[in-house]
Amino acid sequence: MMEIIFATSNANKLREVRSLLPDDIMVLSLKEINFKDEIEETKSTIEGNSLLKAKTIFDIYKKPVLAEDTGLEVFALNGEPGVRTARYSGDGANAEKNMNLLLKNLKDESDRSAQFKTVATFISANGGIHTFEGIIRGVITSDKMGEGGFGYDPIFKPAGFSKVFADMADQQKNIISHRGIAITKFIRFLKEEMTEG
Ligand code: ITT
């Protein structure tokens, strides 16, 4: 059994990542290790904030740590909200306000293409740093749909599908999503590490 700390305070990410990882990997949340501080995301890139979260926890606990940072990049908005995806609507931002602002900013826009990008960072017990990226392209719908998922899931329809993420079963989103792709790469890496001894 391998123990990994997942440096997130987002319960939805935790749920998705737990269901992706095989049973012989035990995922400890920040709550479970009693880490209560907020890790301030001060970097200007998704990669930078992903590394920052992993490193903050690794430096304290010196145990294997996984972290991830995710951004929604909208082409007509030059990649916005990007690194600011969580705080797009400013002070007191939440999923509803963020989606409302994005729909407003895209109101007269014909190009509604976008992508979700996840950068996962793994720091192994010996301090080695490994990153895994997952990208899924899609479009921003004109209205919110569906009941599932979290964040921007009600307005993101992945390319080649007729449903938004929030209308998909958890399992289906997980197989195709930005996070699913990044974590699947991470699992492949762990398996290779283990067979190399
Ligand atoms: P951490 O503790 O892991 O940092 P967080 O919620 O702050 O959790 P991020 O900084 O990565 O996470 O911000 C990601 C933002 O993107 C946040 O607003 C989420 O709601 C949204 N988001 C992330 N993954 C998503 C997904 O799979 N579907 C829809 N929205 C997502």
Side-chain angles (χ1 to χ4, degrees):
M1 175 75 73
M2 183 187 192
E3 267 187 16
I4 293 175
I5 301 170
F6 183 24
T8 186
S9 50
N10 183 320
N12 294 293
K13 286 187 183 179
L14 183 64
R15 177 173 45 81
E16 290 189 357
V17 167
R18 277 202 170 124
S19 92
L20 281 159
L21 290 173
D23 288 343
D24 58 350
I25 299 175
M26 168 118 142
V27 179
L28 299 171
S29 68
L30 290 181
K31 221 184 197 165
E32 285 162 336
I33 61 166
N34 237 344
F35 181 87
K36 295 192 177 108
D37 298 345
E38 170 107 19
I39 304 172
E40 220 190 312
E41 296 183 22
T42 52
K43 304 293 179 189
S44 59
T45 60
I46 292 171
E47 289 78 5
N49 282 326
S50 178
L51 177 61
L52 173 76
K53 289 184 252 190
K55 223 177 155 304
T56 302
I57 297 304
F58 182 81
D59 287 347
I60 301 170
Y61 296 91
K62 303 281 192 273
K63 283 187 177 157
V65 176
L66 177 70
E68 67 103 292
D69 199 62
T70 294
L72 177 61
E73 300 176 329
V74 179
F75 295 95
L77 303 175
N78 299 314
E80 286 264 296
V83 75
R84 300 192 311 114
T85 297
R87 339 162 224 135
Y88 189 40
S89 56
D91 285 346
N94 60 32
E96 281 309 305
K97 289 184 192 168
N98 287 341
M99 284 190 287
N100 290 342
L101 178 61
L102 184 56
L103 291 177
K104 188 175 142 224
N105 288 344
L106 283 178
K107 208 162 77 62
D108 301 314
E109 193 52 66
S110 56
D111 175 11
R112 305 185 68 92
S113 55
Q115 65 184 26
F116 266 116
K117 176 167 132 181
T118 292
V119 175
T121 302
F122 177 63
I123 307 186
S124 62
N126 65 17
I129 296 172
H130 308 270
T131 58
F132 310 90
E133 188 181 90
I135 288 177
I136 182 163
R137 296 186 75 135
V139 293
I140 304 300
T141 54
S142 354
D143 294 294
K144 297 172 202 154
M145 285 178 267
E147 303 288 328
F150 69 100
Y152 295 78
D153 281 347
I155 59 169
F156 185 84
K157 187 161 71 178
F161 292 82
S162 56
K163 288 176 177 176
V164 294
F165 270 157
D167 247 336
M168 291 182 178
D170 281 3
Q171 211 39 38
Q172 191 186 1
K173 177 189 169 190
N174 250 345
I175 290 168
I176 61 168
S177 79
H178 44 299
R179 181 167 299 103
I181 294 166
I183 297 302
T184 300
K185 289 181 184 171
F186 169 56
I187 294 168
R188 204 175 309 141
F189 161 83
L190 283 181
K191 287 197 174 136
E192 280 165 16
E193 286 271 288
M194 280 174 197
T195 50
E196 278 162 20

